[in-house]
Amino acid sequence: MDRGKSKFLGMRNNKMYMDLSEIIREHALPFLPAKSLFRFLSVCRDWKLQISTPFFAHNQSICCGSTLGFFSQAPGEPPSIVSDDPRACGVPDPFLRFLPEPVDIRSASNGLLCCQSQTGNKAYYICNPVTKQWKRLPKPNANHGLHPAVVLIFEPSRLNFEADYKLVCAFPSADFDDATEFEIYSSKEGSWKVSGEIRFTAYSVDPKSGVHVNGVVYWKSRGLLAYDLSKDRSQLLQSYQSGNWVLGSMNGMLCSAYASGRSIIVQVLANVHTNTMQMSSHARMWEEKQRVTLDKEVVGGVASDPVVVVANGNKLLVQMAKKLYVYNLLTKETKALGMPPSTGGDTRYIPYVNSLVCL
């Protein structure tokens, strides 16, 4: 009797293990970053087969959208990557030596990077640094200048098995003084197209500030320059922020972040119509969401003169006293990343999602 009962319990436990393994494989693995998944290839044969399929890569590119790392690059130097979770986020070659020539990273979106060659005809490349897949884009119709204000837009979709992305560039008009035009590359069309939209403004855009949120691309200018892809329309928004502030995306909303004394203030775009409102209106363009301070036990004292270099998702990348810190807006946790990979004064940091997306 005891032997039969033991056999029954063993069969039930084995079934429970199989059910749990299947649940993890089907419903948990797609939410993990690429570096973690590569470690799990050796867990068992079934997991290896599951992770290696193109369908799984497509599913993971949709499910895993958290920012776990930041590409950094100083002018004239190769790129590198920093992360607050290096065990989970990483790429085989952070220097991007798999590309045919040295490049500057211009933009990133959901696992894809937009790079531009440092020499020659300044060709654009789209690549996934995890899989080392890359594509060279055709030459644009317009002159984008030495420091192009390009923004890569890639929104993973279950309906599109192949990556469908766009590249938007705001460039100084060659035909009109004090004017900005827009050129868009579509992976679906495989070509560039200059928009008919022209925004007359004497102020140029900050080429490193571009952010895409819900079909609209924003750049810092004298205020904000916004370009709506679906409507093919632009708008200049008056934003009276000064000092060292950055644009980002948070919970599907445009956000800005800047240091004020020892605090960091995070705001979201609340009203794009302040330009046309009456002077007596109390409506504000930005709405303050959080006011945070770095953990003094992590930074080694009270935070002084912090500089926000990235605001993306629920994370702030902050530089202070020649060291980098990540602040998580959800957990309120401060993590020290140490010294920056480069000591260059013009180092750029770009948020990165560790994705298996296929090009």
Side-chain angles (χ1 to χ4, degrees), residues 182-305:
F182 307 90
E183 186 167 19
I184 302 97
Y185 175 83
S186 168
S187 64
K188 187 177 294 186
E189 303 294 334
S191 61
W192 290 90
K193 181 181 179 181
V194 176
S195 165
E197 174 70 0
I198 301 176
R199 174 54 51 178
F200 287 93
T201 172
Y203 302 102
S204 59
V205 301
D206 179 351
K208 298 179 181 180
S209 65
V211 174
H212 166 254
V213 182
N214 294 329
V216 181
V217 182
Y218 300 88
W219 294 269
K220 289 169 55 178
S221 182
R222 179 65 178 266
L224 288 180
L225 177 62
Y227 174 72
D228 190 314
L229 276 164
S230 61
K231 298 178 181 178
D232 192 24
R233 290 291 181 266
S234 65
Q235 184 179 3
L236 194 60
L237 307 174
Q238 299 299 327
S239 179
Y240 299 101
Q241 297 192 75
S242 59
N244 206 337
W245 58 287
V246 297
L247 289 175
S249 173
M250 184 175 69
N251 299 326
M253 301 180 71
L254 181 72
C255 72
S256 69
Y258 61 94
S260 178
R262 296 171 179 174
S263 300
I264 296 172
I265 298 173
V266 180
Q267 306 177 120
V268 295
L269 184 64
N271 191 345
V272 298
H273 303 294
T274 52
N275 298 27
T276 59
M277 287 187 163
Q278 297 178 1
M279 294 293 290
S280 59
S281 173
H282 296 289
R284 294 178 177 272
M285 179 175 172
W286 295 100
E287 176 186 339
E288 183 175 321
K289 279 297 183 184
Q290 290 199 44
R291 186 180 292 253
V292 305
T293 55
L294 300 183
D295 189 333
K296 61 181 180 180
E297 293 186 3
V298 177
V299 302
V302 179
S304 59
D305 301 323

Side-chain angles (χ1 to χ4, degrees), residues 120-170:
N121 62 359
K122 298 285 187 176
Y124 289 112
Y125 294 91
I126 304 296
C127 70
N128 182 342
V130 169
T131 63
K132 297 185 180 181
Q133 295 175 320
W134 58 271
K135 288 186 178 181
R136 177 172 172 154
L137 303 189
K139 185 178 178 180
N141 301 303
N143 180 9
H144 292 178
L146 293 176
H147 305 286
V150 293
V151 176
L152 177 62
I153 303 170
F154 168 56
E155 299 291 347
S157 168
R158 297 192 185 278
L159 301 178
N160 295 326
F161 202 76
E162 285 192 14
D164 181 11
Y165 54 87
K166 289 182 172 64
L167 194 61
V168 181
C169 181

Side-chain angles (χ1 to χ4, degrees), residues 264 294 304-310 316-326 338-340 342-345 347 349:
I264 296 172
L294 300 183
S304 59
D305 301 323
V307 177
V308 184
V309 291
V310 174
L316 303 175
L317 182 64
V318 181
Q319 189 163 2
M320 189 181 69
K322 297 183 179 180
K323 291 184 179 180
L324 290 174
Y325 300 90
V326 168
M339 298 292 290
S342 173
T343 57
T347 301
Y349 295 91

Side-chain angles (χ1 to χ4, degrees), residues 30-31 56-65 156-160 355:
F31 290 88
F56 179 87
H58 176 65
N59 197 27
Q60 188 265 357
S61 71
I62 297 169
C63 297
C64 181
S157 168
R158 297 192 185 278
L159 301 178
N160 295 326
S355 170

Side-chain angles (χ1 to χ4, degrees), residues 33-37 39-40 68 83-90 354:
K35 187 174 181 178
S36 296
L37 291 171
R39 291 207 314 271
F40 294 151
L68 293 178
S83 174
D84 57 320
D85 191 357
R87 281 181 54 82
C89 178
N354 206 204

